[in-house]
Amino acid sequence: MNISIKNIKETDCICDALILPVTEGDSGLYNRLGSTTRDIIKKLFSKEFKGKQNEVLLVPAPEDIKPGRILLVGLGKKGEVSAEKVRQAGGKAAVHLRDMGMKRVALSTSVISSLKLSPITFIEGALLGLYTFKKYSTGKNNKAIDNIVILLKSSRELDNKLKWTKTVTSSVGFARDLINTPSNDMTPTHLAKAALALKRKNLSVKILGRRDAERLGMGAYLSVAKGSKEPPKFIVLEYKGAKNKQPLVLIGKSITFDSGGISLKPAEGMEKMKYDMAGGAAVLGIIRAASELRLPVNLIGILPATENLPGGSATRPGDIVKAITGKTVEIINTDAEGRLILADAIGYAKRFKPCAIIDIATLTGACSIALGNEAIAMMGNERELMDKIKKSADNTYERVWEMPLYDEYKEYLKSDVADIKNTGGKNGSLVTAAYFLNEFAEKTPWVHLDIAGTAWVEKDKPYIPKGASGIGVRLILDFIKEMS
Ligand code: BES
Ligand code: MN
Ligand code: ZN
């Protein structure tokens, strides 16, 4: 799709549809479109359209202006419009126009600009909302918008902002594609291939196999891989965008399918466990965008990839394994596999002397029990780091909610026979999962983001079609932008 910024009048823009964002009840905003159009809009406002948030109405345009149609899209009450409302309106408008068969569309920016918000946020919502996953559908569907013109005077700042948004949203789409791909195709090997395909001058990729992991002593990670015939792949990406800066390490949980292992999950809903690599996909998306945008930071991406299956050689409850740091772990429940692979990834990450480690993981069912599908659960060992992530959560509306890491949780994970056990029981399982990771992060500044409740969307949202959300990509890229 082509997106351009052009300084032309709404009335002169040749397109299938002109998008007019409007606030609630405000019919007088578009005087500049000429009296015929203004009268039409005024009339619509009395009945069909109120301008409520995300309300859309497509109408034929009068003969005396160039656009073929006008799409009114509501932003809600004037005093309450926010960046998120603009983003949602962008998604709603774009999806509606696509479904109505529109190909070339233009965006009027005057109302959004007058509210001191950015029209690029509207485009962000549009690009995120237009995502589709059609790889496995054999029927034809070629409805697509192929041209968007933003009606605005171009500037360096605007161009940069648009470039950022195009790259970030396409990386969200890239992550969504990986997550939506079923586990028979999205194996650890395939995920490794997707990582290798990102290689370029500023980005190197290394894949460690089972042997390498054994040599490094990653007994926790390998214990998860034992039940599957699919070979595990420990994927390491290194992006260099700055000289002499300590790297930020991003770790993404990459279980390409989580059956629970010997502690088998119930059948209902198990098909969704293909999204247990959403953290890993987000990390790939982040590094892809960083490298494309040449952000002035150093990043390490780690994706400990494996399946979690039951099998004749699978790990049993009661087994004791040794992690890379030397800590022994008693496995109580093989379905608590995420923390095992992350423990070795965190232990491995320390060799890079990172300024901080952020892990992104679909770690616990308890995350959605606590927060529903609205927020990422955040826990960590450094205040400043968490505050910065909160700021980025506000900027991107990939919201985070902090949960505690009380010292008392240590008790929950006490094992009689090993240094630690991998589950702390039902109570507080969202926080004890994080506490388990904390025991491996030790003194390194570290933040854990549990995306179990937000990585998958059951019902279309204005800019997230149902399926993988790609959450984490926009959040962490904003965080990196602010830190650099
Ligand atoms: N991948 C799951 C967590 C999950 C559940 C993510 C539902 C998304 C949706 C994780 O590996 C898991 O099974 N966690 C267990 C841990 C328990 C056995 C301590 C859980 O939360 O039930
Ligand atoms: Mn599990
Ligand atoms: Zn899992």
Side-chain angles (χ1 to χ4, degrees), residues 303-350:
L303 286 74
T306 172
E307 284 192 307
N308 184 25
L309 292 188
S313 54
T315 292
R316 297 147 287 248
D319 286 1
I320 297 177
V321 299
K322 189 181 251 184
I324 192 170
T325 57
K327 260 199 175 68
T328 55
V329 183
E330 182 189 6
I331 294 168
I332 301 296
N333 189 320
T334 64
D335 198 12
E337 84 298 338
R339 61 200 76 181
L340 295 172
I341 68 167
L342 295 175
D344 275 337
I346 291 170
Y348 182 81
K350 287 181 181 165

Side-chain angles (χ1 to χ4, degrees), residues 253 258 265 273 275-276 333 335 337 362-365 423 452:
K253 176 175 175 184
D258 183 12
K265 285 184 183 295
M273 279 302 113
Y275 89 83
D276 216 15
N333 189 320
D335 198 12
E337 84 298 338
T362 45
L363 203 63
T364 66
T423 63

Side-chain angles (χ1 to χ4, degrees), residues 131-137 176-178 180-182 274:
Y131 171 84
T132 55
F133 184 68
K134 290 276 187 284
K135 217 165 39 177
Y136 293 85
S137 311
R176 287 176 181 173
D177 274 347
L178 297 174
N180 285 326
T181 301
K274 68 174 184 180

